Short mmCIF file of all heavy atoms in Angstrom, two decimals:
data_model
loop_
_atom_site.label_atom_id
_atom_site.label_comp_id
_atom_site.label_asym_id
_atom_site.label_seq_id
_atom_site.Cartn_x
_atom_site.Cartn_y
_atom_site.Cartn_z
N ALA A 77 7.93 -10.64 -30.92
CA ALA A 77 6.74 -9.79 -31.36
C ALA A 77 5.69 -10.68 -31.91
O ALA A 77 4.46 -10.43 -31.78
CB ALA A 77 7.22 -8.92 -32.49
N ASP A 78 6.05 -11.99 -32.48
CA ASP A 78 5.01 -12.75 -33.13
C ASP A 78 3.91 -13.23 -32.27
O ASP A 78 2.72 -13.27 -32.72
CB ASP A 78 5.70 -13.99 -33.80
CG ASP A 78 6.40 -13.68 -35.06
OD1 ASP A 78 6.11 -12.60 -35.67
OD2 ASP A 78 7.23 -14.43 -35.56
N LEU A 79 4.18 -13.55 -30.97
CA LEU A 79 3.17 -13.84 -30.12
C LEU A 79 2.08 -12.63 -29.93
O LEU A 79 0.89 -12.93 -29.80
CB LEU A 79 3.66 -14.08 -28.58
CG LEU A 79 4.37 -15.40 -28.45
CD1 LEU A 79 4.94 -15.56 -27.04
CD2 LEU A 79 3.49 -16.60 -28.71
N TRP A 80 2.50 -11.46 -29.92
CA TRP A 80 1.69 -10.35 -29.85
C TRP A 80 0.90 -10.08 -31.14
O TRP A 80 -0.11 -9.46 -31.12
CB TRP A 80 2.49 -9.06 -29.40
CG TRP A 80 2.98 -9.06 -27.97
CD1 TRP A 80 3.86 -9.91 -27.42
CD2 TRP A 80 2.43 -8.27 -26.96
NE1 TRP A 80 3.97 -9.72 -26.08
CE2 TRP A 80 3.18 -8.68 -25.76
CE3 TRP A 80 1.58 -7.30 -26.85
CZ2 TRP A 80 3.00 -8.09 -24.48
CZ3 TRP A 80 1.43 -6.56 -25.61
CH2 TRP A 80 2.15 -7.04 -24.45
N ARG A 81 1.55 -10.49 -32.17
CA ARG A 81 0.70 -10.42 -33.49
C ARG A 81 -0.43 -11.39 -33.45
O ARG A 81 -1.50 -11.12 -33.87
CB ARG A 81 1.69 -10.70 -34.63
CG ARG A 81 2.69 -9.75 -34.84
CD ARG A 81 3.48 -9.70 -36.23
NE ARG A 81 4.36 -8.64 -36.33
CZ ARG A 81 5.65 -8.77 -36.33
NH1 ARG A 81 6.32 -9.83 -36.01
NH2 ARG A 81 6.47 -7.61 -36.47
N GLU A 82 -0.22 -12.55 -32.82
CA GLU A 82 -1.24 -13.50 -32.68
C GLU A 82 -2.51 -12.96 -31.87
O GLU A 82 -3.60 -13.21 -32.27
CB GLU A 82 -0.81 -14.73 -32.00
CG GLU A 82 0.08 -15.67 -32.88
CD GLU A 82 0.22 -17.03 -32.15
OE1 GLU A 82 -0.68 -17.68 -31.75
OE2 GLU A 82 1.40 -17.40 -31.94
N SER A 83 -2.17 -12.27 -30.81
CA SER A 83 -3.30 -11.71 -29.96
C SER A 83 -3.86 -10.58 -30.69
O SER A 83 -4.90 -10.05 -30.20
CB SER A 83 -2.82 -11.47 -28.53
OG SER A 83 -2.04 -10.41 -28.47
N GLY A 84 -3.16 -9.87 -31.45
CA GLY A 84 -3.57 -8.63 -32.10
C GLY A 84 -3.21 -7.34 -31.37
O GLY A 84 -3.55 -6.25 -31.68
N ARG A 85 -2.34 -7.61 -30.31
CA ARG A 85 -1.86 -6.42 -29.44
C ARG A 85 -0.65 -5.72 -29.93
O ARG A 85 -0.31 -4.64 -29.49
CB ARG A 85 -1.83 -6.84 -28.05
CG ARG A 85 -3.06 -6.89 -27.24
CD ARG A 85 -2.90 -6.51 -25.82
NE ARG A 85 -2.16 -7.59 -25.02
CZ ARG A 85 -1.85 -7.50 -23.74
NH1 ARG A 85 -2.41 -6.49 -23.04
NH2 ARG A 85 -1.23 -8.37 -23.13
N TYR A 86 0.04 -6.26 -30.92
CA TYR A 86 1.38 -5.80 -31.23
C TYR A 86 1.22 -4.31 -31.77
O TYR A 86 2.00 -3.42 -31.40
CB TYR A 86 2.01 -6.66 -32.32
CG TYR A 86 3.49 -6.22 -32.56
CD1 TYR A 86 4.41 -6.26 -31.46
CD2 TYR A 86 3.92 -5.75 -33.84
CE1 TYR A 86 5.76 -5.81 -31.69
CE2 TYR A 86 5.29 -5.41 -34.01
CZ TYR A 86 6.15 -5.38 -33.01
OH TYR A 86 7.44 -4.93 -33.13
N ASP A 87 0.20 -4.15 -32.67
CA ASP A 87 -0.06 -2.77 -33.33
C ASP A 87 -0.80 -2.01 -32.28
O ASP A 87 -0.57 -0.78 -32.05
CB ASP A 87 -0.73 -2.84 -34.64
CG ASP A 87 0.16 -3.57 -35.54
OD1 ASP A 87 1.49 -3.29 -35.50
OD2 ASP A 87 -0.31 -4.33 -36.42
N ALA A 88 -1.73 -2.56 -31.58
CA ALA A 88 -2.55 -1.84 -30.75
C ALA A 88 -1.91 -1.28 -29.56
O ALA A 88 -2.34 -0.17 -28.97
CB ALA A 88 -3.74 -2.84 -30.17
N TYR A 89 -0.82 -1.80 -29.03
CA TYR A 89 -0.18 -1.39 -27.84
C TYR A 89 0.44 0.06 -27.95
O TYR A 89 0.46 0.68 -26.99
CB TYR A 89 0.82 -2.42 -27.36
CG TYR A 89 0.77 -2.34 -25.80
CD1 TYR A 89 0.11 -3.32 -25.07
CD2 TYR A 89 1.60 -1.47 -25.07
CE1 TYR A 89 0.07 -3.35 -23.66
CE2 TYR A 89 1.54 -1.48 -23.67
CZ TYR A 89 0.81 -2.44 -23.02
OH TYR A 89 0.77 -2.47 -21.64
N GLY A 90 0.91 0.34 -29.18
CA GLY A 90 1.41 1.72 -29.38
C GLY A 90 2.71 1.93 -28.87
O GLY A 90 3.51 1.16 -28.54
#
Side-chain angles (χ1 to χ4, degrees):
D78 279 345
L79 283 178
W80 288 67
R81 293 196 173 102
E82 283 189 54
S83 72
R85 276 208 297 182
Y86 189 61
D87 294 325
Y89 215 93

